[in-house]
Amino acid sequence: MPTRILPAVGDVDAVRSLTTLLSQLPDAEPVAPVTDSTQLIDTLARLAAESIDELPEVVVVHERIGPVPALELVREVSLRFPAVGVILVTSDVSPGLFQAAMDYGARGLIALPLGYEELASRVHAVAQWSVGVRRHLGAAGDVFTGVGGTVVTVSGAKGGVGTTTTAIQLALAAQASGRAAVLLDMDLQTGDVASYLDVQFRRSVVDLATITDITPRVLADAVFRHDTGLTLLLAPADGERGEEVTDRAARQIVGALRSRYEIVVVDCGAQLSGAGATVVEMADTALLVTTPDVVSVRGAKRAVRMWDRLQVRKAEETTVVVNRHTRGTEIQPPLIQKITGTGLAATVIPANFKELQSAVDAGRVHELDNRSTVKQALWTLAGELGLVKGSQGPQHRNGRSRGGSKGGSRGGDRSALTLRRRKELER
């Protein structure tokens, strides 16, 4: 079977030199070169949408590709298209660059000026690796192998606002609809996903922290398959070990999950670590859960401002989810949106902890009754976010909450107490 090779080269002379050598390789089938990073990603995405078998086995990235720098491009290709082997062509063959290229996901490095023997050897080795990966992916019929899954992070304005319950139910809703879903517990010190789902586990996200090449087999060994069919990657049992998950490790872990599952739901907890910030930055949708009380809303405002200062995420790119909502609460969703400056989920979660208490205490949140208003609201939220098969994507709203009193937040103007609370929140 011929090896399909896609050159990504921005320099005209380099294109000519590389394509000439590639055409001389035995069993090689060079395809038309792409001249920039955007064209490369678009080409691979189009081929992956048809079938994983349509992707080239090897992509050769030249150091002078642009506008995305070569190493960043290598990382993006390796994360989004894990069955494609990437070779970096560079004039710098120092040990430092070699290590960096491997860390970013390259399968090989070729020095300039190009030589036939070295090129043939590298292409042959990388092509064999690519074929092996595809064989493994083909054997796993229940595994998503598309362009890249959707990552949704769920963070809390403070502890106890319902972050973990929200993340679990969103992932369960996606899985129940037929999506390949994984729930990642990135609340590294105090993660409770295992307790909520009555799971005894040996491996955790920490086991992937020092692995620079997270292959499908390595990932499969680290995750836990729950009785519901949902895949779990859990926080460590010993909270101090959470420090082992660095920013780079978090990026690689989420990238590996994204390449294997359609939906990746991440419970980030209420404390922002470096790894957690990286995941929120990578997310397609970042949710911030709050309850309609002064302390929680202040926490949400503080979190949004911190994300903006750290350039993790802008306020308008964040979606607030209001949990434990009642019609009579003095702080209504539109006021929360005004205070935080974020988007606002159209679905609010009603206050009915009695429905949850027995399931939470038993560690059987996945067995929550279908008649539960809390579960129904959370699964409706999953549909609103586009996590359920056949549903549309995220929709923010600027109006009043579903089921809220007419006029939105006017009910909060009934007393001097509410006016004082508003002033406190808006400070």
Side-chain angles (χ1 to χ4, degrees):
M1 178 180 175
T3 300
R4 289 162 299 179
I5 309 168
L6 175 58
V9 189
D11 183 87
V12 176
D13 293 332
V15 168
R16 187 180 305 109
S17 173
L18 181 57
T19 53
T20 299
L21 282 175
L22 289 176
S23 64
Q24 297 173 7
L25 299 182
D27 297 324
E29 186 181 300
V31 297
V34 295
T35 57
D36 59 51
S37 56
T38 302
Q39 189 180 0
L40 173 61
I41 296 300
D42 289 346
T43 299
L44 293 176
R46 174 176 51 80
L47 295 173
E50 298 176 13
S51 169
I52 189 174
D53 294 329
E54 296 299 319
L55 288 167
E57 284 78 21
V58 180
V59 168
V60 180
V61 175
H62 193 276
E63 64 178 0
R64 289 200 291 271
I65 195 71
V68 175
L71 282 176
E72 292 294 333
L73 182 59
V74 168
R75 177 166 59 188
E76 185 169 0
V77 172
S78 63
L79 289 177
R80 293 185 59 180
F81 311 97
V84 175
V86 185
I87 297 174
L88 176 64
V89 177
T90 176
S91 55
D92 181 3
V93 291
S94 65
L97 181 67
F98 181 84
Q99 182 62 51
M102 297 303 105
D103 289 343
Y104 276 70
R107 302 301 309 179
L109 194 70
I110 299 178
L112 288 170
L114 292 172
Y116 176 83
E117 294 297 335
E118 185 181 11
L119 181 63
S121 175
R122 282 290 90 210
V123 167
H124 177 71
V126 173
Q128 283 189 323
W129 173 86
S130 176
V131 170
V133 170
R134 295 177 195 213
R135 189 179 299 116
H136 178 78
L137 292 176
D142 62 336
V143 174
F144 175 69
T145 57
V147 176
T150 298
V151 177
V152 178
T153 56
V154 186
S155 305
K158 69 178 189 65
V161 296
T163 306
T164 298
T165 299
T166 300
I168 290 173
Q169 291 298 331
L170 291 178
L172 288 173
Q175 179 69 30
S177 74
R179 291 279 178 87
V182 60
L183 175 59
L184 168 61
D185 193 347
M186 282 293 290
D187 188 358
L188 296 172
Q189 292 186 343
T190 58
D192 280 324
V193 168
S195 298
Y196 276 54
L197 295 176
D198 192 25
V199 170
Q200 301 294 325
F201 66 99
R202 293 183 300 105
R203 298 195 178 277
S204 72
V205 64
V206 171
D207 293 298
L208 299 176
T210 58
I211 300 175
T212 57
D213 184 13
I214 303 177
T215 65
R217 184 178 296 278
V218 169
L219 186 61
D221 288 339
V223 299
F224 180 90
R225 189 68 176 266
H226 193 258
D227 295 341
T228 58
L230 180 64
T231 301
L232 307 174
L233 183 53
L234 300 165
D238 302 322
E240 65 274 15
R241 295 201 63 195
E243 296 181 359
E244 298 176 29
V245 183
T246 63
D247 304 6
R248 174 175 290 181
R251 188 176 297 277
Q252 291 176 333
I253 290 166
V254 173
L257 292 173
R258 176 179 247 157
S259 70
R260 299 283 289 172
Y261 297 91
E262 289 181 88
I263 304 296
V264 181
V265 179
V266 187
D267 179 358
C268 292
Q271 296 183 357
L272 187 69
S273 63
T278 298
V279 178
V280 172
E281 181 186 5
M282 294 177 66
D284 298 291
T285 300
L287 303 181
L288 183 60
V289 181
T290 186
T291 49
D293 58 82
V294 172
V295 176
S296 295
V297 176
R298 277 182 172 172
K301 181 179 179 180
R302 183 170 58 244
V304 169
R305 286 182 172 180
M306 179 171 62
W307 289 1
D308 185 60
R309 288 195 305 272
L310 297 177
Q311 298 183 342
V312 172
R313 203 170 193 91
K314 296 180 180 178
E316 58 269 24
E317 296 173 348
T318 303
T319 302
V320 162
V321 176
V322 180
N323 189 23
R324 300 177 196 151
H325 174 267
T326 62
R327 291 187 179 186
T329 188
E330 294 167 342
I331 302 174
Q332 288 292 319
L335 176 59
I336 297 174
Q337 182 182 30
K338 178 182 177 181
I339 291 167
T340 59
T342 63
L344 185 66
T347 306
V348 294
I349 316 305
N352 200 337
F353 186 71
K354 288 183 178 179
E355 294 179 353
L356 296 172
Q357 188 166 5
S358 60
V360 170
D361 290 344
R364 311 290 292 179
V365 173
H366 52 287
E367 295 180 355
L368 195 62
D369 195 302
N370 288 333
R371 294 172 294 180
S372 163
T373 56
V374 175
K375 178 177 179 178
Q376 289 175 0
L378 287 169
W379 284 43
T380 300
L381 175 62
E384 177 187 336
L385 297 172
L387 307 184
V388 176
K389 187 171 287 187
S391 61
Q392 295 180 350
Q395 295 179 353
H396 304 316
R397 66 177 175 83
N398 296 313
R400 61 186 178 89
S401 66
R402 189 178 301 170
S405 60
K406 186 176 180 180
S409 61
R410 288 189 300 177
D413 295 327
R414 295 171 186 164
S415 66
L417 173 63
T418 301
L419 289 173
R420 185 166 66 253
R421 284 182 175 175
R422 281 192 177 192
K423 291 177 180 178
E424 291 174 352
L425 286 167
E426 291 176 347
R427 281 204 298 266

